[in-house]
Amino acid sequence: MTDNNKFTAVPDKNGFFGKYGGKFLPPQLEKPFAEIIESYNRIKSDASFITELRYIRKHFQGRPTPVFHARTLSLENGGAQIYLKREDLNHTGAHKLNHCMGEGLLAKFMGKKKLIAETGAGQHGVAVATAAAYFGLECEVHMGEVDIAKQAPNVSRMKLLGAKVIPVTHGLKTLKEAVDSAFEAYLKDYKNSIYCIGSVVGPHPFPMMVRDFQKIVGIEAREQFFDLTGELPDVVCACVGGGSNAIGIFSAFLNDPCELIGVEPLGRGEGVGENAASMTYGHEGIIHGFKCYLLQNDDGSPAPVYSCASGLDYPGVGPEHCYLKDEGRVKYVTCLDTGCSDAFFKLTRLEGIIPAIESAHAIAHALVKAREMKTGTILVNLSGRGDKDLDYVLENWGEGS
Ligand SMILES: *Cc1c(COP(=O)(O)O)cnc(C)c1O
């Protein structure tokens, strides 16, 4: 295989993964970000920080989450055997809490009083609000008015958990404006607060820090898979929005002879505004303070994106994925909404597991890949459960056949 350290030695001290990532900030934010970098680098190897994070993972989140052999699904599908890393069983129903608890604990160690975040569909907002409740911190979640109207249950959840939901009323009133608004709020109050980003995106150190907190998924899965089968998987597969669940599971296999595949949403097809496949159709650009493959307009502004999975609906993508693509270590493929809905119903009916629509993209590709392979094994990161998607599914896809 390739050089042992090449894939794991990133980012450099300026936050670059090859030419991607970095820290493109307004001057006022330089100092608060420098403080986060310094604190994180100090705290991450502190024994009491590590001990407390381990305790939280085990006793609050319910980790380790299991690896499950989807026997019936594999049999019906034909070909390779499919295994699932069950992040849907992580507390709050998705992998996002892994990094939110880490960010919350960092806030506590830094003596901050408040967590500030943005949210699109509300999944990240709920995870941050959960962390804030656990640590006794204030919480402010910025959310576009359009999304607030669409995601009522998550808005209620955040409020019940004690978070203040701030409606964002400018522009398209969705995720991008929510990020801008959260950045502004952080700028005004960085002494008391910390910004909690929702994926392996944003300015350094977030892509590194969120990855480090998500690594637990891969570390557990590698060991569990080996215990079950006596081997490593031939293929590891995950959906990619910003890329946090994917990098979490990939990170443990980067130096193994395993094929790694990231699955992006192709939505309704190839046209501009019809998908959110940044890695496939994007070009180098800057969004929210970092460089990545970006779906962009001619003037470099982020292009409109679409996916049936609101968690995958982002025009940029984590810088480490861009690096791993260019290095040829990870392959990025796409999956249409229709492939996703088919996989959603198959997993639900054949295994009794209702997946998040995001995760169903990874399942969909695994089904195709398994048939191509004929034999061998595929480990899929089942990033979340589908409870949040039930209304959408019934309204748009019906009850399945
Ligand atoms: C948010 C979300 C995603 C997408 O985020 P990544 O950072 O790409 O992992 C995927 N699955 C679920 C269940 C989510 O909630």
Side-chain angles (χ1 to χ4, degrees), residues 21 115 123 283 285 290 374:
L115 306 181
Q123 293 304 107
H283 306 283
F290 72 107
K374 300 199 172 62

Side-chain angles (χ1 to χ4, degrees), residues 379-391:
L379 173 63
V380 180
N381 194 5
L382 191 74
S383 54
R385 66 178 185 224
D387 303 44
K388 67 183 179 58
D389 300 315
L390 299 185
D391 289 343

Side-chain angles (χ1 to χ4, degrees), residues 154-234:
N154 276 343
V155 175
S156 308
R157 240 170 247 145
M158 285 183 260
K159 287 182 177 166
L160 286 172
L161 288 161
K164 204 159 128 197
V165 178
I166 314 265
V168 180
T169 56
H170 67 277
L172 295 175
K173 304 174 192 168
T174 59
L175 181 60
K176 191 197 157 288
E177 291 78 22
V179 176
D180 298 339
S181 169
F183 261 107
E184 265 167 46
Y186 176 58
L187 192 55
K188 284 192 197 121
D189 196 18
Y190 63 81
K191 285 210 169 64
N192 284 312
S193 59
I194 186 168
Y195 190 88
C196 287
I197 227 148
S199 186
V200 282
V201 297
H204 181 59
F206 285 99
M208 170 182 80
M209 196 162 82
V210 171
R211 172 203 64 192
D212 291 351
F213 291 137
Q214 288 294 347
K215 272 183 175 173
I216 187 65
V217 176
I219 292 168
E220 286 174 7
R222 191 176 183 279
E223 190 179 316
Q224 291 165 318
F225 190 92
F226 196 84
D227 281 349
L228 271 174
T229 67
E231 293 169 1
L232 290 175
D234 297 311

Side-chain angles (χ1 to χ4, degrees), residues 45-342:
S45 46
D46 179 291
S48 56
F49 183 83
I50 294 169
T51 306
E52 191 165 347
L53 194 56
R54 280 192 184 147
Y55 178 89
I56 289 168
R57 282 171 174 166
K58 182 168 177 190
H59 299 284
F60 180 64
Q61 293 179 234
R63 304 203 68 88
T65 59
V67 163
F68 172 70
H69 182 190
R71 281 194 182 81
T72 316
L73 181 72
S74 306
L75 188 68
E76 290 277 321
N77 184 58
Q81 295 300 307
I82 296 171
Y83 291 76
L84 309 174
K85 174 61 173 166
R86 299 286 310 273
E87 287 304 289
D88 59 317
L89 296 177
N90 197 30
H91 180 42
T92 71
H95 70 288
K96 285 197 173 73
L97 197 66
N98 298 332
H99 64 254
C100 288
M101 293 309 288
E103 288 172 327
L105 188 59
L106 178 67
K108 191 181 128 177
F109 270 69
M110 288 173 75
K112 303 291 185 188
K113 303 270 180 297
K114 191 202 270 186
L115 306 181
I116 297 179
E118 80 292 334
T119 197
Q123 293 304 107
H124 177 56
V126 169
V128 174
T130 302
Y134 179 95
F135 291 110
L137 300 166
E138 286 171 52
C139 182
E140 190 178 298
V141 181
H142 295 248
M143 189 170 186
E145 261 186 347
V146 170
D147 291 328
I148 290 180
K150 278 205 315 216
Q151 308 289 342
N154 276 343
V155 175
S156 308
R157 240 170 247 145
M158 285 183 260
K159 287 182 177 166
L160 286 172
L161 288 161
K164 204 159 128 197
V165 178
I166 314 265
V168 180
T169 56
H170 67 277
L172 295 175
K173 304 174 192 168
T174 59
L175 181 60
K176 191 197 157 288
E177 291 78 22
V179 176
D180 298 339
S181 169
F183 261 107
E184 265 167 46
Y186 176 58
L187 192 55
K188 284 192 197 121
D189 196 18
Y190 63 81
K191 285 210 169 64
N192 284 312
S193 59
I194 186 168
Y195 190 88
C196 287
I197 227 148
S199 186
V200 282
V201 297
H204 181 59
F206 285 99
M208 170 182 80
M209 196 162 82
V210 171
R211 172 203 64 192
D212 291 351
F213 291 137
Q214 288 294 347
K215 272 183 175 173
I216 187 65
V217 176
I219 292 168
E220 286 174 7
R222 191 176 183 279
E223 190 179 316
Q224 291 165 318
F225 190 92
F226 196 84
D227 281 349
L228 271 174
T229 67
E231 293 169 1
L232 290 175
D234 297 311
V235 176
V236 180
C237 175
C239 67
V240 177
S244 64
N245 88 87
I247 210 71
I249 196 158
F250 291 167
S251 58
F253 297 94
L254 284 170
N255 293 324
D256 292 325
C258 304
E259 185 178 354
L260 307 179
I261 306 178
V263 186
E264 294 195 294
L266 188 52
R268 293 185 281 246
E270 288 182 8
V272 175
E274 299 291 310
N275 64 70
S278 323
M279 208 73 89
T280 308
Y281 300 112
H283 306 283
E284 203 180 308
I286 293 176
I287 182 173
H288 297 140
F290 72 107
K291 192 180 279 185
C292 65
Y293 280 103
L294 177 67
L295 292 166
Q296 53 190 296
N297 300 311
D298 292 340
D299 65 356
S301 60
V305 284
Y306 162 81
S307 163
C308 61
S310 40
L312 304 181
D313 202 347
Y314 185 64
V317 60
E320 190 163 4
H321 287 289
C322 305
Y323 169 71
L324 292 170
K325 176 189 156 105
D326 286 6
E327 292 292 327
R329 179 63 191 93
V330 180
K331 194 170 130 194
Y332 294 88
V333 301
T334 60
C335 165
L336 284 161
D337 280 5
T338 47
C340 165
S341 63
D342 178 59

Side-chain angles (χ1 to χ4, degrees), residues 2 26 318 353:
T2 25
I353 298 171

